[in-house]
């Protein structure tokens, strides 16, 4: 694959300087993640603000996140919640969840967020059995091998009109190669296949370049009944 163009990060920096500015809570989150040895795979600063704005524009009261890591995107999503809203975020690794909990508390978002630790599919099945208010927005940034399963659960757990967002769906262009040696490509391609002509979802995907190199987001809306 072509190496990243340094201008991609320069443009991200320009966007942050002019549209977002410094954010001590998010900067502290990234520093805590690095100190704890977490992989640096959080969304970028502009992408995090995008998630916050999407939650606000959707007037989200209930958000589901699959893949917490150190809580960076959870902080952004929680900031976009309406008054009295809640975020449920799922994380496989207990150590990651502990870091995320501290980061959320430090960012003033802890009271809005429930972290469920364990296999995501098990946690999702538990949420389904519990019932309760359906989700308005679902953000998935976890193991790509299970993206198809996560789509299925997101559809069952969300209201008509809900927004579903999947990260890392371009993979530096490898998604178009059915013979790719990237082990994350088959699960990503299965997600696309499930969404092709889906009877309940309207979807698109957009490529992104920036500090996180070349990748993209897939977004789907559950059709109103």
């Amino acid at each position: 694959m072509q190496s990243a163009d340094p201008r991609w990060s320069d443009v991200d920096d320009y966007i942050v300087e002019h549209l977002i500015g410094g954010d001590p809570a998010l900067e502290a989150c990234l520093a805590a993640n690095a100190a704890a040895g977490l992989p640096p795979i959080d969304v970028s600063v502009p992408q995090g603000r995008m998630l916050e704005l999407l939650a606000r524009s959707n007037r989200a009261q209930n958000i589901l996140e699959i893949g917490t890591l150190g809580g960076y995107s959870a902080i952004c999503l929680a900031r976009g919640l309406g008054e009295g809203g809640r975020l449920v975020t799922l994380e496989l690794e207990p150590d990651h969840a502990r870091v995320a909990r501290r980061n959320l508390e430090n960012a003033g978002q802890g009271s809005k967020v429930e972290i469920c630790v364990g296999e995501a599919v098990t946690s999702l099945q538990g949420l389904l059995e519990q019932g309760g208010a359906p989700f308005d927005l679902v953000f998935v940034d976890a193991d790509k091998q299970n993206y198809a399963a996560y789509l299925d659960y997101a559809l069952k757990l969300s209201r008509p009109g809900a927004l579903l967002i999947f990260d890392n769906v371009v993979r530096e262009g490898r998604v178009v190669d059915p013979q790719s040696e990237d082990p994350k490509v088959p699960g990503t391609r299965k997600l696309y296949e499930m969404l092709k002509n889906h009877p309940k979802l309207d979807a698109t995907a957009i490529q992104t370049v920036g500090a996180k190199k070349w990748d993209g987001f897939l977004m789907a809306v559950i059709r109103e009944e």
Side-chain angles (χ1 to χ4, degrees), residues 7 30 38 62 77 81 135 194 200-201 222 224:
R7 291 175 296 178
L30 292 179
L38 273 62
N62 295 288
L77 289 165
L81 281 166
F135 292 102
M194 286 184 66
K200 294 184 178 180
L201 293 163
I222 301 175
E224 301 281 355

Side-chain angles (χ1 to χ4, degrees), residues 53-66:
L53 295 180
L54 286 171
R56 286 168 54 187
S57 65
N58 203 39
R59 294 180 171 83
Q61 287 295 113
N62 295 288
I63 297 176
L64 171 64
E65 177 183 51
I66 304 175

Side-chain angles (χ1 to χ4, degrees), residues 159-178:
R159 65 166 174 82
L163 176 63
L164 315 181
I165 308 168
F166 290 77
D167 196 9
N168 308 127
V169 298
V170 172
R171 310 210 59 78
E172 297 188 328
R174 291 188 288 271
V175 70
V176 302
D177 180 9

Side-chain angles (χ1 to χ4, degrees), residues 12-219:
D12 267 7
D13 293 342
Y14 183 86
I15 292 168
V16 172
E17 177 185 355
H18 286 80
L19 303 180
I20 301 173
D23 193 316
L26 289 176
E27 292 162 8
C29 174
L30 292 179
N33 290 355
L38 273 62
I41 54 175
D42 313 85
V43 297
S44 69
V45 176
Q47 290 167 350
R49 175 58 66 86
M50 180 195 74
L51 292 174
E52 177 188 345
L53 295 180
L54 286 171
R56 286 168 54 187
S57 65
N58 203 39
R59 294 180 171 83
Q61 287 295 113
N62 295 288
I63 297 176
L64 171 64
E65 177 183 51
I66 304 175
T68 315
L69 194 61
Y72 187 97
S73 54
I75 293 170
C76 298
L77 289 165
R79 287 174 171 177
L81 281 166
E83 186 69 27
R86 65 155 189 156
L87 166 67
V88 178
T89 182
L90 313 183
E91 173 55 44
L92 174 64
E93 300 292 343
D95 289 344
H96 293 181
R98 281 190 285 271
V99 174
R101 172 51 61 192
R102 290 195 297 269
N103 287 333
L104 285 158
E105 295 291 348
N106 291 339
Q109 303 299 321
S111 63
K112 302 177 184 178
V113 182
E114 176 186 357
I115 303 176
C116 298
V117 180
E119 294 281 351
V121 170
T122 302
S123 297
L124 290 165
Q125 183 61 33
L127 290 171
L128 189 62
E129 293 169 359
Q130 292 168 17
F135 292 102
D136 307 301
L137 186 152
V138 179
F139 176 55
V140 184
D141 188 6
D143 56 305
K144 314 314 174 213
Q145 294 87 337
N146 280 316
Y147 263 20
Y150 298 153
L151 174 64
D152 185 55
Y153 274 107
L155 188 56
K156 293 175 181 176
L157 288 163
S158 303
R159 65 166 174 82
L163 176 63
L164 315 181
I165 308 168
F166 290 77
D167 196 9
N168 308 127
V169 298
V170 172
R171 310 210 59 78
E172 297 188 328
R174 291 188 288 271
V175 70
V176 302
D177 180 9
Q179 306 302 320
S180 173
E181 296 181 359
D182 182 345
K184 299 178 181 178
V185 164
T188 308
R189 288 175 60 88
K190 187 174 181 180
L191 173 69
Y192 279 94
E193 290 300 322
M194 286 184 66
L195 285 164
K196 186 176 183 180
N197 300 318
H198 197 287
K200 294 184 178 180
L201 293 163
D202 294 313
T204 190
I206 186 167
Q207 301 181 74
T208 60
V209 295
K212 298 299 177 178
K213 300 183 181 179
W214 177 21
D215 216 316
F217 288 92
L218 186 150
M219 293 181 283

